[in-house]
Amino acid sequence: MRYASPPNRPVRRRQRFRTAIIATVAIIVLSLVAFAPTASAASSNFVVQDKRCIEVVDDYDIRTTARDSDIFVIVHEKDDVVAQEHICKKLEATLNKVYLGAAAKGKGAVFAYLVVEEPSEGKNGNKNFVKNTLGVRTFPSYLYVSKGMDRYSKFSDHVTQLKGGDSLEMSDVETFVEDNVGFRLGNDVFSIVFFDSVASRFVSYGDTAPWSSDRIKQRILQLLVRFSTIVSFKEPFSSIGKLYNRAFSMSLANGMDYSEKQVKKLQKKLDLKKHELSDEKIHEFQQKISILKSFEEPKENTAEDDKQIFIHAALHLGLAIATLLLIILPAAGEETEEEEVINAEPVVAKAVGGDYKSTKKTS
């Protein structure tokens, strides 16, 4: 006797396939997050006034300041002021809206520096306080002191020291500041290296005819950048991504010389009205010019740059296909409900064999 295969076997196959697709989507999304382009900063020389580092000398100064405010302290020796000058200069250059915005959200801090002094004749110095109380052994060191201190407070309950010693890079220090203070120092203009590589390849095709192969390639590159900005919404990536998207769209609409014309226009306006514009507006102009120059003066792509473009394109295409398959394939609940409806319909069996013959004779 032969048995028919179970009616729900195709359903199980589809569900396994759907599960595999979901796993694929998760892997692609994680890969996109891992390979997500990051924004890199280029320093700007424009300085906003009225933000200064203060000097603290001893226990009393830190306790008094930390009573009502958090403090970021640079501890350094007298003959090494490089770190202090770097941080304090970037503080002065930080945009007012960023600096005041952090304070409005309950973040922000007083920035201070402490110069280590050896005990000498007529002076107690502060080296013992720095080493024994603050726990600082290497210089320069960076401390975050939380507010709420009084004369009875223990420094160990309020002080967080950036670990790393001599191996620390200044970028590590700036990240430590941002994590604790709530804003990034400086008014740097940013660029996204991966998007600059895409812009370089985009511009290399020149002005193209509609529906030509080169125009299709440019469209694909434009979509690649647009999808990449969806993956990451962290600032400054998100807002800068919008500027790149606009530059790609306007270049397609107005020609590859669009960026060159816009750079000249914006630079002229900035030079003429620099003294009338707010700090924020000047920074906005500088940021736009920086991104447009990626199209006006494209970088020379390396083999690694082209490889990264291909990897991102493949990941996004895979994500699109997998998502489409998920939409097409029904979910488990829908399949089960359909099977129940089919199986709920009674089927009447017809007589076969001898019964059929006898029926035929009597008719």
Side-chain angles (χ1 to χ4, degrees):
M1 182 179 293
R2 296 179 63 185
Y3 292 92
S5 59
N8 61 347
R9 184 171 292 178
V11 176
R12 288 176 181 174
R13 288 201 194 101
R14 283 196 291 271
Q15 289 310 313
R16 288 195 202 104
F17 186 50
R18 183 181 176 84
T19 303
I21 294 173
I22 292 172
T24 302
V25 169
I27 292 170
I28 293 174
V29 170
L30 290 173
S31 300
L32 286 171
V33 171
F35 288 101
T38 55
S40 59
S43 296
S44 172
N45 295 322
F46 187 75
V47 175
V48 181
Q49 302 299 325
D50 302 322
K51 288 179 290 294
R52 297 284 187 271
C53 292
I54 65 170
E55 183 177 8
V56 292
V57 177
D58 52 22
D59 178 300
Y60 175 80
D61 287 348
I62 294 180
R63 287 181 185 275
T64 302
T65 309
R67 183 181 301 155
D68 301 313
S69 302
D70 297 330
I71 318 174
F72 176 78
V73 186
I74 310 153
V75 184
H76 64 88
E77 295 176 316
K78 190 174 183 179
D79 58 351
D80 184 9
V81 297
V82 175
Q84 177 210 318
E85 289 179 347
H86 176 85
I87 294 295
C88 294
K89 185 176 179 181
K90 296 209 74 167
L91 173 65
E92 293 173 7
T94 302
L95 294 175
N96 281 328
K97 70 173 183 178
V98 174
Y99 186 78
L100 298 175
K105 295 176 182 177
K107 300 287 286 184
V110 173
F111 283 74
Y113 60 91
L114 188 157
V115 181
V116 180
E117 295 180 351
E118 296 278 359
S120 60
E121 188 177 348
K123 289 185 178 181
N124 294 326
N126 58 14
K127 193 165 187 177
N128 289 334
F129 163 70
V130 169
K131 287 191 172 183
N132 299 329
T133 306
L134 296 180
V136 175
R137 296 287 186 272
T138 59
F139 308 101
S141 284
Y142 309 92
L143 311 177
Y144 176 74
V145 186
S146 60
K147 62 185 175 183
M149 291 195 76
D150 56 34
R151 60 181 178 173
Y152 303 110
S153 300
K154 292 181 179 180
F155 276 92
S156 58
D157 294 334
H158 290 266
V159 174
T160 303
Q161 182 176 351
L162 175 61
K163 305 296 183 182
D166 297 334
S167 64
L168 284 173
E169 299 287 342
M170 199 51 67
S171 59
D172 299 322
V173 179
E174 292 176 11
T175 301
F176 178 71
V177 172
E178 184 177 8
D179 290 342
N180 287 283
V181 176
F183 65 86
R184 191 165 188 85
L185 290 169
N187 66 338
D188 300 334
V189 292
F190 292 87
S191 63
I192 299 173
V193 177
F194 173 68
F195 288 178
D196 289 345
S197 300
V198 177
S200 176
R201 181 61 57 203
F202 176 88
V203 172
S204 70
Y205 295 117
D207 291 319
T208 56
W211 303 111
S212 65
S213 60
D214 285 344
R215 174 58 68 93
I216 293 172
K217 292 174 186 176
Q218 287 176 325
R219 288 286 186 189
I220 292 171
L221 292 172
Q222 179 195 16
L223 288 173
L224 176 59
V225 171
R226 189 172 294 278
F227 287 144
S228 295
T229 55
I230 295 173
V231 173
S232 179
F233 51 84
K234 187 177 180 181
E235 291 295 348
F237 186 93
S238 180
S239 57
I240 294 171
K242 292 176 183 177
L243 296 177
Y244 275 99
N245 282 324
R246 177 170 174 78
F248 277 103
S249 298
M250 296 305 289
S251 295
L252 279 175
N254 300 291
M256 294 300 115
D257 61 347
Y258 165 80
S259 296
E260 182 181 355
K261 293 176 181 177
Q262 283 298 109
V263 167
K264 290 178 180 178
K265 181 179 177 181
L266 291 172
Q267 192 63 58
K268 184 178 180 181
K269 190 173 182 179
L270 182 59
D271 293 339
L272 289 174
K273 298 187 176 182
K274 189 171 185 177
H275 299 292
E276 303 173 16
L277 298 172
S278 65
D279 304 332
E280 289 77 11
K281 200 66 179 176
I282 290 173
H283 182 263
E284 183 183 323
F285 270 81
Q286 291 173 334
Q287 183 63 74
K288 287 180 179 179
I289 290 170
S290 175
I291 290 173
L292 287 168
K293 281 189 174 180
S294 301
F295 293 79
E296 181 196 12
E297 303 168 359
K299 59 176 283 194
E300 186 175 344
N301 279 3
T302 63
E304 181 62 27
D305 293 328
D306 289 333
K307 178 182 175 183
Q308 289 298 318
I309 293 174
F310 177 80
I311 290 173
H312 278 79
L315 287 172
H316 282 92
L317 178 61
L319 180 61
I321 293 173
T323 304
L324 183 62
L325 288 173
L326 275 179
I327 294 171
I328 294 172
L329 286 175
E334 295 173 359
E335 289 279 3
T336 305
E337 183 180 347
E338 183 180 345
E339 286 294 319
E340 288 176 353
V341 170
I342 293 173
N343 293 333
E345 184 70 29
V347 179
V348 179
K350 293 182 179 180
V352 293
D355 291 339
Y356 173 75
K357 291 177 181 178
S358 62
T359 305
K360 190 174 181 181
K361 286 178 182 179
T362 54
S363 57

